Amino acid sequence: MHATVDTPAPTSAPDAGDPIVRFRGVNKRFGDLHVLRDLDFDVGPAEKVAIIGPSGSGKTTILRVLMTLVRPDSGEIVVDGEHLYHRRVGDRLVPADERHLRKVRTNIGMVFQHFNLFPHMRVLRNVTEAPIHVLGLSKAEATERATGLLEMVGLGDKLDAYPSQLSGGQKQRVAIARALAMRPKVMLFDEVTSALDPELVGEVLSIIRKLAEEGDMAMLIVTHEMSFARDIADRVVFFDNGQVAEQGPPADIFTAPSNPRTQEFLKAVLQH
């Protein structure tokens, strides 16, 4: 990522038909493990994409690279018409500085597997902190936005609670409200139910389902909940060995997958 890229940078704003997210030739290694291999992958505006695949196939790394938690080794990523890891200098692209990364990252929200709430802050402050300090909202504006979102996720009565006083499902709903408070154009969900007790899974999935039905954000959902992926996604993408092995409408992928690896994977997970 440190070499200057000679590709001319785009000079105009994205039009409505352009992908909101675009990966081109993206590679990432962790030591000897080649996690993303020359990845080409697009997400359309407002598209809901479910990412499935075996452990270690690169699913979570895609989200972490988009959230700038993990830097790719090579390739280009564009979010809403702007390069994420590069910036324009004249007609060339050079490695981006931290300020540029922060600016483009405001278009992206992420909900993590393990909540990542601030334990010393009450629920309301967990949700208002970033809109105040990153977006520059006044305390009153941020509080109004946060209160509405916490009402929407069914936690209007928990504004003054600390995370330690909440169930896992409630913590995950606070995390969703916190991500939404930034009004991102792209929402990332990383196995958001896998740390929850089985009886709490439904309450979190129902919130995400509601967002998918009513929201105009693009959503990238890494999940092992196959029936949920079938219900919610416009497109299901099966990842294997750091690449897109197969993709298509949920009905096609779950009913008649063409790739033997997809068939194998689905047979194994749907039997449980």
Side-chain angles (χ1 to χ4, degrees):
M1 294 302 302
H2 300 292
T4 300
V5 176
D6 290 324
T7 317
T11 53
S12 57
D15 70 40
D18 286 343
I20 189 87
V21 173
R22 182 164 60 227
F23 284 73
R24 286 294 177 270
V26 173
N27 285 276
K28 179 62 191 175
R29 290 177 183 271
F30 295 107
D32 292 337
L33 192 60
H34 199 167
V35 183
L36 299 179
R37 297 171 180 264
D38 292 321
L39 177 64
D40 290 343
F41 178 59
D42 290 350
V43 179
E47 188 182 19
K48 317 304 184 241
V49 179
I51 301 178
I52 63 172
S55 294
S57 58
K59 309 184 301 292
T60 289
T61 304
I62 292 166
L63 304 190
R64 293 180 69 80
V65 161
L66 267 175
M67 203 62 198
T68 70
L69 299 170
V70 169
R71 183 179 279 270
D73 299 324
S74 61
E76 293 179 36
I77 299 170
V78 176
V79 178
D80 196 29
E82 285 205 71
H83 282 79
L84 181 55
Y85 287 97
H86 297 89
R87 61 186 176 86
R88 188 183 301 131
V89 175
D91 62 353
R92 293 163 71 83
L93 292 173
V94 299
D97 53 21
E98 187 58 37
R99 185 177 170 196
H100 177 88
L101 285 175
R102 278 200 306 268
K103 173 173 166 268
V104 181
R105 194 172 57 214
T106 58
N107 287 317
I108 306 164
M110 184 163 177
V111 183
F112 297 85
Q113 186 174 335
H114 293 289
F115 325 130
N116 287 21
L117 300 178
F118 298 114
H120 60 290
M121 293 183 187
R122 297 178 194 270
V123 163
L124 182 61
R125 191 170 162 206
N126 259 284
V127 181
T128 59
E129 193 74 354
I132 291 170
H133 294 289
V134 179
L135 299 183
L137 265 61
S138 69
K139 189 174 179 184
E141 286 174 306
T143 299
E144 183 182 352
R145 182 182 293 188
T147 304
L149 288 167
L150 287 163
E151 290 279 355
M152 187 200 82
V153 299
L155 294 173
D157 59 341
K158 299 290 185 185
L159 305 188
D160 292 327
Y162 285 98
S164 61
Q165 298 170 305
L166 304 178
S167 71
Q170 289 170 329
K171 288 177 190 173
Q172 199 55 290
R173 286 186 279 149
V174 173
I176 291 170
R178 181 179 63 178
L180 290 172
M182 297 295 286
R183 300 215 170 140
K185 294 181 179 177
V186 183
M187 270 286 271
L188 314 178
F189 296 92
D190 182 23
E191 295 279 21
V192 294
T193 59
S194 63
L196 300 180
D197 293 332
E199 68 270 20
L200 301 176
V201 168
E203 68 185 61
V204 173
L205 293 184
S206 68
I207 296 291
I208 300 173
R209 188 176 274 112
K210 182 180 177 188
L211 286 177
E213 288 167 0
E214 299 174 8
D216 57 0
M217 298 175 300
M219 292 167 67
L220 260 176
I221 305 158
V222 170
T223 185
H224 63 280
E225 302 276 350
M226 296 301 139
S227 60
F228 177 65
R230 185 197 289 258
D231 289 350
I232 200 175
D234 301 313
R235 175 166 50 117
V236 175
V237 179
F238 174 69
F239 260 82
D240 189 41
N241 202 23
Q243 295 177 313
V244 176
E246 185 169 2
Q247 59 184 319
D252 294 355
I253 298 296
F254 288 113
T255 311
S258 59
N259 185 307
R261 282 292 293 122
T262 317
Q263 294 166 8
E264 215 176 281
F265 173 79
L266 289 174
K267 187 176 175 187
V269 297
L270 295 174
Q271 278 174 345
H272 292 296

